[in-house]
């Protein structure tokens, strides 16, 4: 978390729950302004994120990964995503290393 001790409203916490143990909480950056995503647009974005981001134990996402591919994913990380077309080279600038 980042904060200004002089201003109680100036707090940024990308993962308020689980950040310290790397449980998978992530921050999404976009150039959209709040006014761009009001009402039905916001609801549609939230639903699409829910549809495409696996949640919970045993859930599935839209990226098919066979059991045999899991070692490659874990070993190669971003390189696997690039190779399979799930990322752009500039995505590397915004990914954390663990």
């Amino acid at each position: 978390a980042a904060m200004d001790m002089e201003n109680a409203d100036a707090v940024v916490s990308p993962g308020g729950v689980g950040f310290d143990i790397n449980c998978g909480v992530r921050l999404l950056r976009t150039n959209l302004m709040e006014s761009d995503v009001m009402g039905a647009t916001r609801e549609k974005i939230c639903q699409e994120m829910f549809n495409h981001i696996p949640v919970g134990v045993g859930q599935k996402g839209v990226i098919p990964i066979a059991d045999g591919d899991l070692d490659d994913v874990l070993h190669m990380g971003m390189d696997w995503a690039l190779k399979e077309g799930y990322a752009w080279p500039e995505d590397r600038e915004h990914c954390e290393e663990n």
Side-chain angles (χ1 to χ4, degrees):
M3 60 194 75
D4 178 350
M5 297 303 287
E6 303 299 319
N7 182 352
D9 293 328
V11 176
V12 176
S13 180
V17 177
F19 184 73
D20 58 329
I21 60 171
N22 196 24
C23 74
V25 176
R26 296 294 181 253
L27 177 70
L28 174 68
R29 182 197 177 278
T30 177
N31 292 327
L32 297 172
M33 303 299 289
E34 182 179 9
S35 60
D36 296 330
V37 294
M38 297 302 291
T41 301
R42 179 174 60 194
E43 294 301 319
K44 184 174 181 181
I45 290 171
C46 289
Q47 187 61 53
E48 288 299 315
M49 289 174 66
F50 183 79
N51 292 344
H52 290 85
I53 299 172
V55 295
V57 176
Q59 300 298 314
K60 295 185 178 188
V62 297
I63 299 175
I65 299 176
D67 289 342
D69 295 330
L70 187 56
D71 284 339
D72 287 342
V73 172
L74 295 173
H75 179 71
M76 297 173 65
M78 174 59 80
D79 291 332
W80 181 89
L82 286 166
K83 179 180 78 127
E84 297 296 324
Y86 296 116
W88 295 294
E90 58 270 19
D91 289 338
R92 194 181 287 276
E93 299 171 25
H94 303 286
C95 288
E96 62 188 73
E97 288 287 329
N98 289 306

